[in-house]
Amino acid sequence: MTEETLHDNGGVPDPRFGEQGGVLTYGAYLRLTDLLGQQVPESAPPAHDELLFITIHQVYELWFKLLLSELTDARDRMLAGDSYLPRVRLERCHTIERVLVNQVDVIDTMTPQDFLAFRTKLAPASGFQSAQFREIEFLSGAKDPGYLQRFRGLTDDDRARLERRLAEPSLWDGFLAVLAKAGFEVGTAEQRFAAYAAIARDRERFGQLWDLAEALVAHDQAFCLWRARHVLMAERQIGTKPGTGGSAGGAYLRSRIELRFYPELWELRSRL
Ligand code: HEM
Ligand SMILES: N[C@@H](CC(=O)c1ccccc1NC=O)C(=O)O
């Protein structure tokens, strides 16, 4: 294309731009007819805030899907001994996770009265049944097979995916593979703490490993922050009532705040 053809339209794009013989449209590419047809309220007539409630959960699940893809790639690359791209992937995850924590603000615009207008229709469904959320926990390293027993209403596909995540290596296994490739012994806890301390004390030499460990801590911290915000979100709506999923509600959610994906990286702080 010549300089003249680029500019002879006064900067206005050629009206045929993006239509070079193709039939693809924005809506077709993004499957918007399907996507925007999936917000179906349970309440009839629909309670005003149910669209908000469905939308926010669907947005979470879309981000969970992307997180799983990024975290899986980070894990696979670490298993191969790489440390640069896994950190890049984890940093993207951290950015998404900040969005996940901050979008709780949107749910907080709902009053408990408006939630009550459709809450009874939701039982016994609950976020406890989010298979992707549990997949993220398993992939991150918090593998609790008990969840597979406690889950009601898992599809065969969900169950198969969760069983695969339980059986396959976690991000933590990937991290230990990176340390092993760098020459550290990682068989016992004491060997691992010796490795973390060596890395922490010589960042000029081991900066890439230190940054990778810090990216794992950031991922862990983001999920702790999400759990803490989720408790407040839940208690703001339902106080001390039991959950639709059959748990004690806020008390159960509080018990989950202590969960850490990488307890040794937190323990390292006490040992430095
Ligand atoms: C009105 C807002 C919300 C309330 C009142 C609420 C309440 C609860 C309660 C009480 C539980 C415990 C299980 C039960 O007995 O029901 C739970 C679990 C859960 N919720 Fe929510 N939730 C809300 C919004 C959300 C949103 C927007 C998400 C995003 C996906 C979410 C994801 C989850 C997850 C993943 C769990 C399982 C947590 C775990 O087992 O550690 N919730 N929620
Ligand atoms: N467990 C919530 C209801 C709830 O928030 C919910 C219900 C169905 C699907 C997802 C949900 N989100 C998080 O738990 C409650 O007890 O009010």
Side-chain angles (χ1 to χ4, degrees):
M1 197 180 276
T2 64
E3 185 79 354
E4 203 184 350
T5 49
L6 267 176
H7 295 291
D8 65 1
N9 215 6
V12 178
D14 183 326
R16 289 163 305 164
F17 174 77
E19 295 179 17
Q20 285 89 343
V23 290
L24 193 64
T25 64
Y26 175 85
Y29 180 52
L30 299 169
R31 311 277 167 148
L32 291 186
T33 307
D34 289 341
L35 184 67
L36 301 179
Q38 302 304 315
Q39 293 70 43
V40 185
E42 286 289 321
S43 56
H48 178 79
D49 283 9
E50 197 174 351
L51 180 60
L52 161 79
F53 192 80
I54 294 170
T55 303
I56 194 129
H57 282 85
Q58 290 183 340
V59 168
Y60 270 106
E61 291 291 336
L62 283 172
W63 284 126
F64 289 165
K65 181 174 178 178
L66 182 62
L67 279 181
L68 281 166
S69 159
E70 301 287 343
L71 293 172
T72 301
D73 190 69
R75 188 270 321 265
D76 290 344
R77 289 175 189 276
M78 286 195 286
L79 287 174
D82 296 343
S83 56
Y84 174 75
L85 278 179
R87 180 185 58 73
V88 171
R89 300 287 182 262
L90 284 166
E91 279 174 6
R92 174 175 293 163
C93 289
H94 189 220
T95 307
I96 295 166
E97 288 157 0
R98 279 201 297 266
V99 171
L100 297 187
V101 173
N102 285 322
Q103 74 185 20
V104 171
D105 287 348
V106 183
I107 273 274
D108 281 348
T109 65
M110 179 170 73
T111 65
Q113 309 88 295
D114 291 334
F115 182 38
L116 280 173
F118 61 94
R119 181 176 185 243
T120 50
K121 305 275 181 207
L122 305 181
S126 129
F128 191 80
Q129 297 168 315
S130 169
Q132 290 203 109
F133 181 84
R134 216 56 77 189
E135 257 191 274
I136 293 171
E137 287 191 339
F138 290 177
L139 174 58
S140 297
K143 293 184 182 178
D144 182 349
Y147 274 106
L148 278 175
Q149 269 75 60
R150 277 173 268 155
F151 258 122
R152 273 167 291 147
L154 269 188
T155 66
D156 291 346
D157 182 59
D158 286 340
R159 182 169 296 279
R161 277 191 294 127
L162 285 166
E163 276 168 359
R164 259 202 316 276
R165 292 295 186 190
L166 279 177
E168 71 185 24
S170 67
L171 281 158
W172 184 246
D173 297 319
F175 179 62
L176 295 183
V178 173
L179 295 191
K181 194 183 175 198
F184 292 103
E185 303 271 4
V186 294
T188 68
E190 282 319 304
Q191 287 172 334
R192 291 193 295 277
F193 278 109
Y196 313 146
I199 291 164
R201 291 194 181 120
D202 192 351
R203 280 175 288 160
E204 287 304 335
R205 183 163 167 209
F206 297 121
Q208 209 146 298
L209 297 178
W210 173 257
D211 286 352
L212 184 60
E214 287 297 273
L216 287 171
V217 170
H219 168 55
D220 199 350
Q221 175 177 284
F223 267 81
C224 293
L225 287 172
W226 186 85
R227 289 187 206 97
R229 275 224 72 178
H230 178 263
V231 178
L232 290 175
M233 163 184 17
E235 289 181 346
R236 182 166 173 166
Q237 295 298 333
I238 64 170
T240 56
K241 292 176 197 169
T244 51
S247 82
Y252 163 71
L253 296 172
R254 256 167 219 290
S255 74
R256 301 284 296 163
I257 294 181
E258 293 301 313
L259 179 69
R260 294 288 182 278
F261 295 148
Y262 313 115
E264 291 184 1
L265 296 181
W266 295 89
E267 167 66 18
L268 167 67
R269 275 62 191 162
S270 316
R271 298 194 183 200
L272 282 177

